[in-house]
Amino acid sequence: MRFADHLRQWDPDALTHLLTARPDLLSAVDDGFDAVARRASTPMSLGRCLVRSDVAMLVVAEALVLTHPATPAELDELLGTNDLTSVIGALERLAALGVVVIEGGVARPVGALTDLFLRPLGLGPSFTELATHLSSSTLDDLATRLGAGGARSRAATARAIAQRLRATSGLSAAIADAPLGTAEMLEALIDQRSPTVGLPAGFSYQRLPEDDPLVWLLSHGLLVAIDDHHAELPAEIVIGASSNGLAPTAALRPIALQPVTGLPAETVSASAADRASRTLEATEALLRQIEAGDVATLKAGGIGAREIKRLAKLTGIDDRDVARLLELLFEGRLIVPTGSGVTVTPLAARWWQLSRARRWIVLVRAWLGASVFISQALSRTDEGKLRPALDDHEMLAAAGSARRGLVDLASGLASGEAFDIDQLAEASVWRCPNLWGVGHPPPEHLVDWTVAEAELLGLVAQNAPAPTLAALASDDEARLHELAAAMLGEDQGHVMLQSDLTAVALGPLSPRVAGVLGEMADRITDSAVPQFRFSETSIRRAFDRGWGSEGVVEFLSAHALSGVPQPLSYLIADVERRYGSVRILDTRGVIVTEDEATALEIASSSRAARLGLRIIAPTVLIGPVEPRRLLDELRAEGLFPVIDGVDGCAGGPHAAVRLIDLDAPEPDDLDYDIEFDAESLPADWTGPALDEMALAGEVADAVGILVDDPGEMSGEEPPHGLHLLRNRAAVVTHRRDGQLVEARGVVVAIGDSITLLNESGVEDLPIDSVVAVEDPSR
């Protein structure tokens, strides 16, 4: 039965499962079951499906590719797992995804599945595949030596030899009279699972000395020459010699996450809330630094370890977490690297307008759908070098889907339960090994990274899931916002100004108030609650940014719970008196002071001689020094100079007074509960950016279209899904030199070959080499 006809027999529930798990099939639904079947049979679609398959499904699929059609019992025997129930379960899961078809208790692969496993279970080609390299006379000679002769056709002869080689008894008989060392050589080759072997110079099947073990194996079909220089061991040899099966230790049963005793639920929630709050505040501090253009980048791109260490001191979190947050801001599309640094995007301004809970949710959504593992930043390469943040990191597996699977698994634990990180890694990787990749870094490290990232965001605490993790896993937006609001509280707009020149907030400050305070005071990073310290330097910094004493006092009075203390008022007035008393003209080395005493003070300092400064008039000094360097040097002497004619540092505190409209609504008065719609934010900004997530409504509509499909197509299905019309752009997957490659172009002819017109000219692809043809516009 054709696969399309097989799909027609499925009930709506089965079709819903198929289209939800394989959303790439949705675009073919309008053309009916035949189009869905063609697309589902292509290597690209099948590959997407297998990427998200569990270990048992992958192992059983490889076994089926190796020998098909086959019954579950035959596959269990081939694998040697002695677990028929698990083999049947894996086949049923594969069948539900349209990867295999089971009819009459016999399974067979769908479409191009066999092309996706170049060496299933580590084995090379079968003898029947390798026999295409042999002449008919050589094939007949091999059949005679093995006692498999008498077949009427070349194909039947090859099958008879393959059957003989696969039988353990036949293999033992074949090497009984072999030269000394042949059995040992064959055993070594079998242990290597079908390796490619080099041939002696001048090899020919017509001249085979019988005393050489390698040549003897060739002359008896136990090795097959594929060209003049190489030979391969047929898969049947390994199968026949593996009396215990090809994968007896394969883990076919799901690995359940076994909970361990964790902290009380109240402790977990409190710890997660504290971490989420601190992370949000650190993120805001980083974003302000980027908005101010105060983040240095490397010449080669990215933010290096030294700059990250500086940012860590500023934000009060460790270096790795700073690097993670920078990556998170990029994944949330709030910042973007440029050729000369890092800048904020238009979304940053909108992000600041959201409530505290909503700002956190945006970060969490960005993390869930991130296309990379954000902990790559500041991790070490194979050469031991630290990777910078915001560098061009390679995509490690399907990071977003892998992360989502771990979240689903961990969120299933009950209140008061925690997970063992090693067992979580084992269970997560079993569910989707291809999502976690192989090699460096190994999957268990990626799981460690993911848990550390979840802890940073306050989704996990002490290896126990916080309530927000379950809401995130279930896509319950309302519940997630409710929990986040309770966890993070509301933004505060007032502080307690103290006589020791500090400001203490009673809770998390609104972005607007915290940003202005950051211009006037220095953040105390080792404090559990937002605290700021005023100093001569910080007030001078505010004046540099356009504030005047009147504006500073007015802002502080509006946001102080009990007025501005006298010591702080004196400090502001003193800085105002001294600020701008020394002016540096915006030309090389000209200093103008308000009085002669100040000029003499500068000229008599140790720095004056080093800088080459000299008095040319009672209140004027000159020297061969750049204005900006003079500014820094004189401020190091305790003076408060400004550069005349430069924005933000012009002539005195009142030359560019920054005014604040105190009648404007405070952050607490603004409507922060902004819904995530197309008018307020891009539609995909807050949702997980997981690849090809199918909406339930879209799947339901598609199932309705298929169920209403009238029916049966007459005639044979076009080979390889050749449903494209002429003059359409296409991607043609075909075999070339034993590999699957893609060719792109416009189809200008279909016959014994597919003719493509592309930038390189006209390309003809033999029809028997074509595996699939896809229309990239669908």
Side-chain angles (χ1 to χ4, degrees):
M1 181 188 298
R2 296 185 312 124
F3 184 46
D5 296 328
H6 181 78
L7 288 178
R8 283 189 173 91
Q9 298 178 359
W10 287 22
D11 60 40
D13 289 341
L15 292 173
T16 298
H17 176 75
L18 174 70
L19 295 177
T20 302
R22 298 178 65 176
D24 60 299
L25 304 182
L26 288 168
S27 60
V29 165
D30 288 341
D31 295 325
F33 280 105
D34 294 279
V36 172
R38 284 193 294 268
R39 180 171 291 275
S41 302
T42 61
M44 186 177 295
S45 182
L46 289 166
R48 289 193 187 106
C49 185
L50 291 180
V51 161
R52 291 169 171 79
S53 297
D54 60 51
V55 168
M57 294 166 69
L58 293 171
V59 170
V60 171
E62 288 193 58
L64 185 61
V65 165
L66 198 60
T67 174
H68 60 85
T71 65
E74 290 170 338
L75 295 175
D76 185 36
E77 181 181 2
L78 178 66
L79 293 169
T81 48
N82 295 318
D83 191 353
L84 182 59
T85 300
S86 294
V87 171
I88 293 174
L91 281 174
E92 289 176 344
R93 293 196 296 279
L94 289 167
L97 294 176
V99 177
V100 306
V101 171
I102 304 175
E103 291 181 294
V106 176
R108 60 178 176 84
V110 166
L113 182 65
T114 54
D115 296 314
L116 296 178
F117 298 99
L118 298 181
R119 298 183 67 87
L121 299 178
L123 273 61
S126 66
F127 181 85
T128 53
E129 293 174 286
L130 295 173
T132 59
H133 299 280
L134 304 178
S135 66
S136 297
S137 59
T138 299
L139 197 61
D140 290 338
D141 290 343
L142 292 177
T144 300
R145 287 192 180 94
L146 293 171
R152 295 184 177 181
S153 66
R154 176 187 173 87
T157 301
R159 288 195 297 271
I161 295 174
Q163 186 175 3
R164 182 72 172 167
L165 293 175
R166 185 166 177 170
T168 304
S169 58
L171 182 60
S172 302
I175 62 174
D177 300 325
L180 186 65
T182 304
E184 291 77 8
M185 177 180 286
L186 181 61
E187 183 177 353
L189 293 174
I190 290 172
D191 287 342
Q192 297 176 52
R193 289 282 173 103
S194 305
T196 300
V197 181
L199 293 177
F203 166 80
S204 171
Y205 271 107
Q206 280 67 48
R207 300 186 299 276
L208 297 176
E210 292 289 325
D211 57 346
D212 181 272
L214 176 62
V215 176
W216 190 94
L217 291 174
L218 287 161
S219 67
H220 289 74
L222 306 184
L223 276 176
V224 178
I226 57 176
D227 55 36
D228 294 338
H229 305 287
H230 304 92
E232 288 200 35
L233 189 73
E236 290 85 355
I237 302 295
V238 181
I239 295 173
S242 302
S243 57
N244 293 326
L246 296 174
T249 60
L252 299 187
R253 292 183 178 270
I255 298 175
L257 185 60
Q258 300 296 330
V260 297
T261 302
L263 297 173
E266 297 79 8
T267 304
V268 170
S269 296
S271 178
D274 177 66
R275 190 63 185 273
S277 181
R278 288 187 288 117
T279 294
L280 183 59
E281 291 172 22
T283 305
E284 292 168 352
L286 284 174
L287 194 56
R288 289 193 190 96
Q289 290 291 305
I290 295 171
E291 286 176 330
D294 194 20
V295 175
T297 56
L298 301 171
K299 290 183 178 179
I303 301 175
R306 180 177 298 178
E307 178 67 355
I308 287 176
K309 188 174 292 293
R310 182 186 73 83
L311 294 172
K313 185 177 180 180
L314 182 146
T315 56
I317 60 177
D318 65 34
D319 299 12
R320 287 300 302 275
D321 286 343
V322 167
R324 289 176 175 128
L325 292 182
L326 287 168
E327 293 286 338
L328 198 57
L329 286 170
F330 172 73
E331 290 294 332
R333 305 176 198 169
L334 300 177
I335 63 172
V336 62
T338 63
S340 58
V342 184
T343 186
V344 296
T345 68
L347 287 179
R350 300 186 182 185
W351 186 77
W352 284 118
Q353 296 173 2
L354 300 176
S355 68
R356 185 171 170 79
R358 290 289 189 185
R359 294 198 300 276
W360 177 80
I361 289 175
V362 169
L363 298 180
V364 169
R365 294 288 190 193
W367 170 75
L368 188 65
S371 58
V372 298
F373 290 95
I374 64 173
S375 294
Q376 287 181 90
L378 232 58
S379 67
R380 294 196 176 273
T381 65
D382 293 337
E383 296 78 25
K385 296 180 180 179
L386 285 176
R387 293 182 175 92
L390 300 186
D391 196 18
D392 291 330
H393 299 310
E394 59 184 323
M395 291 184 64
L396 297 179
S401 296
R403 188 180 299 109
R404 183 62 183 256
L406 185 144
V407 166
D408 289 342
L409 190 61
S411 65
L413 296 178
S415 177
E417 294 180 342
F419 53 79
D420 175 79
I421 188 99
D422 293 331
Q423 212 245 341
L424 176 66
E426 188 179 5
S428 297
V429 173
W430 187 93
R431 286 169 55 139
C432 292
N434 285 323
L435 292 180
W436 295 99
V438 294
H440 182 78
E444 55 270 22
H445 286 188
L446 298 181
V447 171
D448 286 346
W449 284 359
T450 305
V451 172
E453 294 158 12
E455 288 179 343
L456 174 66
L457 289 166
L459 295 167
V460 169
Q462 301 294 319
N463 287 354
T468 48
L469 192 71
L472 183 66
S474 62
D475 289 323
D476 189 341
E477 178 73 19
R479 177 62 174 163
L480 183 62
H481 183 263
E482 176 187 348
L483 290 170
M487 179 174 69
L488 294 167
E490 295 294 333
D491 291 319
Q492 303 296 315
H494 293 82
V495 295
M496 177 75 71
L497 296 179
Q498 304 185 116
S499 57
D500 63 352
L501 301 181
T502 60
V504 180
L506 302 182
L509 286 174
S510 72
R512 177 172 176 264
V513 174
V516 173
L517 273 176
E519 294 181 356
M520 301 175 177
D522 297 313
R523 176 70 184 264
I524 301 175
T525 58
D526 58 354
S527 173
V529 296
Q531 285 195 54
F532 298 80
R533 184 177 300 281
F534 296 92
S535 65
E536 288 184 344
T537 301
S538 70
I539 298 298
R540 186 203 66 211
R541 183 176 66 229
F543 285 176
D544 283 346
R545 294 179 179 178
W547 287 91
S549 61
E550 182 180 347
V552 171
V553 172
E554 202 167 0
F555 174 83
L556 294 177
S557 299
H559 294 278
L561 290 173
S562 56
V564 179
Q566 193 175 58
L568 181 55
S569 297
Y570 286 164
L571 174 66
I572 296 169
D574 183 58
V575 172
E576 178 188 32
R577 178 182 57 81
R578 299 161 58 194
Y579 187 82
S581 60
V582 176
R583 293 179 291 125
I584 301 171
L585 299 186
D586 193 13
T587 184
R588 179 179 290 270
V590 179
I591 303 172
V592 180
T593 65
E594 288 187 345
D595 52 55
E596 296 181 23
T598 304
L600 288 171
E601 179 186 349
I602 295 172
S604 62
S605 69
S606 60
R607 294 177 188 267
R610 177 163 53 82
L611 297 173
L613 299 177
R614 71 185 196 282
I615 294 178
I616 61 171
T619 60
V620 180
L621 300 90
I622 65 170
V625 188
E626 293 288 347
R628 288 292 176 183
R629 183 184 174 192
L630 272 180
L631 188 75
D632 294 337
E633 295 282 358
L634 295 180
R635 283 182 171 178
E637 287 288 331
L639 299 171
F640 285 64
V642 296
I643 299 177
D644 253 354
V646 177
D647 290 343
C649 195
H654 299 294
V657 177
R658 180 179 178 183
L659 299 177
I660 296 180
D661 181 6
L662 295 180
D663 294 326
E666 294 298 323
D668 291 345
D669 301 327
L670 296 177
D671 180 14
Y672 277 160
D673 192 19
I674 299 175
E675 293 301 324
F676 295 146
D677 55 37
E679 293 183 1
S680 62
L681 289 172
D684 61 344
W685 186 35
T686 58
L690 298 180
D691 293 336
E692 300 184 71
M693 290 187 64
L695 301 176
E698 186 180 9
V699 171
D701 292 342
V703 170
I705 293 173
L706 289 177
V707 170
D708 292 338
D709 183 11
E712 312 240 347
M713 260 188 75
S714 58
E716 293 296 322
E717 184 176 0
H720 310 299
L722 289 183
H723 57 293
L724 296 173
L725 301 177
R726 295 175 186 270
N727 302 322
R728 294 287 296 275
V731 178
V732 182
T733 305
H734 63 107
R735 295 186 187 89
R736 180 188 296 167
D737 299 328
Q739 302 291 325
L740 287 177
V741 296
E742 287 186 351
R744 295 173 179 267
V746 176
V747 177
V748 294
I750 302 175
D752 293 336
S753 65
I754 294 181
T755 303
L756 293 178
L757 179 64
N758 51 37
E759 294 178 355
S760 303
V762 176
E763 184 175 7
D764 286 315
L765 306 176
I767 198 71
D768 56 4
S769 73
V770 174
V771 174
V773 180
E774 289 193 298
D775 181 349
S777 67
R778 295 191 60 82

